[in-house]
Amino acid sequence: MARSQTEDADNSNPSWFTPKRLLVMFCLINMLNYVDRGVIASNGVNGSLGTCTETGVCTAGTGIQGDFNLNYFQDGILSSAFMVGLLVASPIFASFAKSYNPFRLIGVGLSVWTFATAGCGASFDFWSISIFRMLVGVGEASFISLAAPFIDDNAPVAQKTAWLSVFYMCIPTGIALGYVYGGVVGGNFNWRYAFFGEAILMLPFAVLGFVMKPLQLKGFAFAEQKKASTSVEIIGSEIEGTEVADIEVASSERGYLDGDELDRCTSKKSSLSKGSLEILNQLSKFWKDIKVLLFDKVYLTNVLGYIAYNFVIGAYSYWGPKAGYEIYHMSNADLLFGGVTIVCGIFGTLAGGYILDYIGSTISNAFKLLSGATFLGAIFCFSAFCSKNLYGFIFLFSIGELLVFATQGPVNYVCLHSVKPSMRPLSMAMSTVSIHIFGDVPSSPLVGIVQDYLNNWRVTALILTSILFIAAGIWFVGVFLHSVDKFNEDSGHCLTTPERSDLRPLLEGNSKETPEPANS
């Protein structure tokens, strides 16, 4: 279906956003996401149960734990409940990006996030706040899988990794701000107001997702075009004893189904409703895309290294202060570890992105930086825990964390550029799901088991840190894999030339870019 001249003119200037405005908006949203993480962590630390003395004098509890009379197990669940929604919804939003405008999906997700954080403030018991914490994860899922592809689309060619690094730098910054914000608001007013404040701050971004002209990701057709030219896939399965082969019609070229094919589809699928067909088609597409990722050696190597890396970082964030206190008897161990992580996280993340852009943003160079920075970081962190002196530990550990955090930009660059444009949302979603399920979620309890067995925090910390060498080794293998930057590859939608010109709506001047070189 041809678009009208008015629509073409409208798409030539589709949005008020410039690339930098888009980056700033996504950074603010990302920071708010992690401010929420800091707020719930702050409540976990500062909350307490009510107590009663033998004489019958009782003191009211504080925070969420005190208000809902939670035990420590329940209190701990609240800090990780969002993971349930995040892990379930991330692949769903990534899959829907092929059928619905991704920018609108972010608007939907942020609306859910806003509702959920307000619900946390209005909750009345453990189960209600747990459900709202899960919904927070659902809202965040739309953003984490789609924001990075948008940034990568619109960043200058020579600064793609730097822009991604700025985006991911908001993670440690947001957590730190959330911890302070949650403590101040909870201490001076009530913990509920902290969540209400988050909802108010996110609301304008949720509204923007619906009222602004929707932006388009590279490799995805417009919604209007999809209605007129949709690939029809019939899923091979046995329905009422009849096996039906998959049929895929390249409707972007023809715009219609042949009469014979339509008759076959109608006769063989008469027992299925239109809604059932759509669900089956979505599941079929999703499974095909998952198989593509699983057989992509470059992507798989990148994610395996990221899992090992996140296993260590997750355990560091949970057990680091405890280990520091037990080994070096440091006072304010949580403050010290938190401060080192924030400073090193910001500067290390930014440095990693700028270095990769400087040496050349290719997948091969990204693997070189990932393996080299992680290997050197592991040496410094390992040496830190071997040190007998507190100040020696702080110095060595700070350098180690600077190097380790330099991986954030490059690892996500590989996730985005090792797959076709239409696969990028799913690649980001599955990367996030994998590093949590196999990385930071099991690492803390497993490290606790090791410590229970050894009863020696120095040895436990050294065993944990040694896993960084494994991550470096996995990423080093990636250097030797045949890698091709697929950023400019066509997606499966077979868009026409005028349609492709609209896929980079924010680039000022709509200038043509030089294709990025293939890596080998």
Side-chain angles (χ1 to χ4, degrees), residues 351-380:
Y354 281 104
I355 290 172
L356 181 57
D357 285 333
Y358 179 78
I359 64 177
S361 297
T362 65
I363 294 175
S364 179
N365 283 344
F367 275 126
K368 291 174 185 176
L369 182 56
L370 286 170
S371 58
T374 305
F375 182 76
L376 291 175
I379 291 175
F380 277 97

Side-chain angles (χ1 to χ4, degrees), residues 32 113-114 117-118 193-205:
L32 278 174
W113 194 96
T114 303
T117 50
Y193 292 107
F195 290 113
F196 291 142
E198 291 176 33
I200 292 171
L201 291 172
M202 186 65 84
L203 183 60
F205 298 113

Side-chain angles (χ1 to χ4, degrees), residues 157-177:
V157 175
Q159 298 177 346
K160 287 185 179 292
T161 321
W163 280 40
L164 286 173
S165 296
V166 170
F167 176 72
Y168 287 105
M169 177 268 294
C170 295
I171 293 176
T173 307
I175 292 175
L177 287 175

Side-chain angles (χ1 to χ4, degrees), residues 22-23 25-30 33 93 97 102-103 105-106 110 140-155 163-164 167-168 215 217 412 416 424-425 428-429 506:
L22 180 75
L23 177 63
M25 185 186 81
F26 281 169
C27 283
L28 291 174
I29 294 171
N30 199 31
N33 277 325
F93 274 109
F103 193 73
L105 290 177
I106 290 178
L110 296 183
E140 186 178 334
S142 70
F143 181 73
I144 62 165
S145 58
L146 298 171
F150 270 119
I151 293 172
D152 191 63
D153 267 4
N154 295 284
W163 280 40
L164 286 173
F167 176 72
Y168 287 105
L215 308 179
L217 274 177
N412 287 287
L416 290 169
R424 291 182 303 167
M428 295 301 298
L506 299 185

Side-chain angles (χ1 to χ4, degrees), residues 408-429:
Q408 289 301 302
V411 73
N412 287 287
Y413 178 89
V414 176
C415 277
L416 290 169
H417 286 253
S418 62
V419 299
K420 292 183 179 181
S422 61
M423 294 282 291
R424 291 182 303 167
L426 184 62
S427 77
M428 295 301 298

Side-chain angles (χ1 to χ4, degrees), residues 258-493:
D258 290 339
D260 291 340
E261 290 169 339
L262 183 59
D263 290 339
R264 279 192 292 137
C265 291
T266 303
S267 62
K268 292 179 180 180
K269 293 296 184 180
S270 58
S271 61
L272 286 179
S273 67
K274 182 179 179 181
S276 298
L277 266 177
E278 179 63 25
I279 293 174
L280 290 173
N281 282 333
Q282 289 289 346
L283 290 174
S284 176
K285 293 175 185 177
F286 176 74
W287 178 240
K288 288 177 182 176
D289 288 344
I290 289 294
K291 286 194 290 186
V292 170
L293 293 179
L294 289 176
F295 286 99
D296 188 321
K297 294 180 181 179
V298 173
Y299 177 81
L300 198 59
T301 300
N302 187 54
V303 172
L304 288 175
Y306 202 8
I307 289 171
Y309 165 90
N310 216 53
F311 186 96
V312 178
I313 297 302
Y316 271 174
S317 66
Y318 191 82
W319 291 115
K322 179 70 173 178
Y325 176 80
E326 293 293 338
I327 297 171
Y328 300 103
H329 308 290
M330 63 175 70
S331 57
N332 299 320
D334 54 347
L335 181 62
L336 177 62
F337 268 83
V340 169
T341 300
I342 292 166
V343 174
C344 295
I346 293 173
F347 288 102
T349 302
L350 292 176
Y354 281 104
I355 290 172
L356 181 57
D357 285 333
Y358 179 78
I359 64 177
S361 297
T362 65
I363 294 175
S364 179
N365 283 344
F367 275 126
K368 291 174 185 176
L369 182 56
L370 286 170
S371 58
T374 305
F375 182 76
L376 291 175
I379 291 175
F380 277 97
C381 290
F382 196 89
S383 301
F385 283 108
C386 289
S387 174
K388 304 294 183 181
N389 181 273
L390 172 61
Y391 297 104
F393 166 81
I394 295 173
F395 175 75
L396 292 170
F397 192 73
S398 297
I399 296 177
E401 286 223 311
L402 270 173
L403 290 163
V404 166
F405 277 111
T407 60
Q408 289 301 302
V411 73
N412 287 287
Y413 178 89
V414 176
C415 277
L416 290 169
H417 286 253
S418 62
V419 299
K420 292 183 179 181
S422 61
M423 294 282 291
R424 291 182 303 167
L426 184 62
S427 77
M428 295 301 298
M430 295 312 298
S431 172
T432 302
V433 169
S434 299
I435 64 174
H436 288 313
I437 290 180
F438 304 110
D440 55 4
V441 170
S443 67
S444 294
L446 288 176
V447 169
I449 292 172
V450 172
Q451 172 58 21
D452 285 338
Y453 179 76
L454 297 176
N455 195 29
N456 186 320
W457 273 110
R458 189 186 299 276
V459 175
T460 299
L462 290 173
I463 293 173
L464 173 65
T465 303
S466 65
I467 297 176
L468 284 176
F469 291 107
I470 298 175
I474 294 172
W475 279 327
F476 185 66
V477 172
V479 176
F480 302 97
L481 295 176
H482 175 69
S483 55
V484 177
D485 193 322
K486 300 178 182 178
F487 178 77
N488 288 316
E489 286 195 16
D490 293 338
S491 71
H493 293 298

